[in-house]
Amino acid sequence: MKTSLYWNPLVWACMGLVSHISADDQFLSRPDLSPPRLNITIPAAEDVGDGYIFLCPYGGLNSGTGFDGPEQTACYIFRNDGDLVWSSLGHLSGWAANMQARSFRGKPVITVYQGAIDGFRGHGWGQAAILNEHYDTIATIRAGNHKIMSIHEFNLLQSNSALVEIYQPTPIDLTRFNGKKDAKWIVDAIFQETGDVLFEWSSLDHVPPTESVISLSSGYAGGGVNSTDAWDYFHLNSVEKDDHGDYLISGRHTSTVYKISGKTGDIVWRLGGPNSNFSVPPGATFGFQHDARWPAEQPTEAHTQHISLFDNAARSNGHQGNYTESAHDRSSAKVLRLDTKSWKASVVKSVSAPDHLLALSQGNAQTLSNSNIFVGWGQAGAVTEFRARDDKPIFHAYLDSGDIGYGVQSYRAFRFPWTGKPRESPAIVALLDESHEDGTSVHVSWNGDTETATWKVYATAPSCTPSSWRLWSCRARLLQETKRAGFETVIHIADGAVTSGLSTVYAEAFDAGGRKLVTTAAVTASRRLRTYNGHRTQEQQTVAVDELK
């Protein structure tokens, strides 16, 4: 049995990756946030694509250590150095995935699935949310026709309609497919173009269950004896629409990519699987794939086109790491050329992870605006960016660090430009530095902000309020100006009035052009670890100050 390097604990230990690393205590201004610590093994080169890294990591394995991460399952935006930009905690509910930056009604937005997941069978129940640049939910999208959206696809189109995937258990007689006597449940893989339901397609209407490469009798895709264990013969995991109104879909359990007529719903052609219309040479073969797309760059010949896909080349019995079978010894992102005159497929590009990961489930391949390919390795828990001109990996990272990172995975991963202007207030805390007399460290952060370049810290009288800070008697003193230094910026000041509690401190954020963006609340300096005495804040702060006198 071949496994990926990622799943081998011995290799992790030899690489020095297995250690008790906690995600806690990263941000003293936001102790409630414990995002993953990306393990970056290839730092970002200068020619990586524009934008930030979009991830929704969650824990899918039980390694037996009790430290399977991440500590906080959520969606995150990171900078290239692993610095946090935004945590979705408090913004999204339930299990969230497939977070992307898109355009909606002419404005930049974030789209994301949120709901529940059946982690073993690889489907879910939920809805999609659209968030604006302030991270406010401005729209919620559900499937139509009394159906429930599943996890695999929410693809917001330029027309402002959306493509969604539905996992629909359906009763039929399965005895002809070698099912057990009482087996009668099969999954109808459905997609809709919705807002209102503009188009709906059903796998059972067009693809016979005999096309599945996972037999009902094996039980690996469900035994069919009840709706929960319905035979998932098709497993739809991506839907794309072209400028002509036709659709491109991926059936993981048929190992086939299909082009669907947007007028009739008929299958125009099949690529891969047992009934491929194209001859596929060895280098272009794929299996159990995800994320079939039409890249923006296409050949000029009318009878040729390119598609990209994530070739898992393997499958698991659920998302729990159980190895089942593989077509190749590693997963890859592929760009294929399809010729509908000769009906031949060929390889344009094929890239695999620098450590030859085998992703048993999930994954995606995103073609960036500079033609680089950004790959999310799904269940293998890593991301890689490949340079367009030579396919060299110019960024690679695992989704968490140490033994807490074992088993962390993300359904998809992306790179997108994004401008975040959070509506929530920045967080600030001032902590007494016991090693230096009159020393205080001010910690300030603003979840989701991408625009702050500089923080200015001021001192003012405790009796003054923000509305009176401009008055002569409450005029604030500028203590220090500091460049932003990560999600949380720490400013060290030496001011006796602040240390003694005679002055409070607050901060203001400024963008690169010097425009003031926001003002924090004013806080009094305190010890980091406070003694519980049945009361909060002001009394605790007074006790801490008195102890220093």
Side-chain angles (χ1 to χ4, degrees), residues 287-457:
F288 310 109
Q289 77 291 334
H290 280 77
D291 199 41
R293 304 291 172 191
W294 278 302
E297 294 183 11
Q298 290 290 333
T300 56
E301 302 94 336
H303 58 88
T304 61
Q305 57 189 295
H306 289 171
I307 69 163
S308 65
L309 57 84
F310 181 80
D311 178 15
N312 292 81
R315 68 177 178 88
S316 62
N317 188 11
H319 288 185
Q320 307 305 308
N322 312 47
Y323 178 88
T324 302
E325 64 176 292
S326 64
H328 307 295
D329 62 353
R330 66 192 68 172
S331 300
S332 61
K334 286 182 166 70
V335 178
L336 303 179
R337 182 179 185 271
L338 307 181
D339 188 326
T340 54
K341 182 179 291 185
S342 66
W343 293 100
K344 292 181 179 179
S346 57
V347 178
V348 177
K349 186 184 294 285
S350 181
V351 291
S352 57
D355 40 11
H356 309 314
L357 298 176
L358 186 65
L360 302 182
S361 70
Q362 307 161 88
N364 69 296
Q366 177 194 13
T367 303
L368 304 180
S369 59
N370 65 354
S371 298
N372 287 359
I373 295 182
F374 190 86
V375 181
W377 299 102
Q379 188 173 319
V383 293
T384 311
E385 183 167 336
F386 296 90
R387 187 162 50 208
R389 71 172 184 268
D390 57 9
D391 297 339
K392 179 181 178 180
I394 54 175
F395 177 77
H396 183 70
Y398 288 98
L399 305 188
D400 211 335
S401 300
D403 54 5
I404 196 173
Y406 186 83
V408 174
Q409 53 194 289
S410 183
Y411 170 53
R412 289 174 178 167
F414 300 94
R415 180 185 291 282
F416 287 112
W418 176 248
T419 300
K421 302 176 181 179
R423 203 179 299 279
E424 68 178 69
S425 300
I428 184 172
V429 63
L431 301 176
L432 298 168
D433 186 349
E434 298 177 24
S435 62
H436 295 86
E437 186 177 355
D438 294 339
T440 304
S441 61
V442 178
H443 301 249
V444 61
S445 62
W446 196 10
N447 187 32
D449 164 54
T450 62
E451 301 306 287
T452 295
T454 303
W455 288 101
K456 293 183 180 181
V457 179

Side-chain angles (χ1 to χ4, degrees), residues 495-509:
D495 189 276
V498 173
T499 303
S500 65
L502 297 177
S503 293
T504 57
V505 295
Y506 68 92
E508 291 180 339

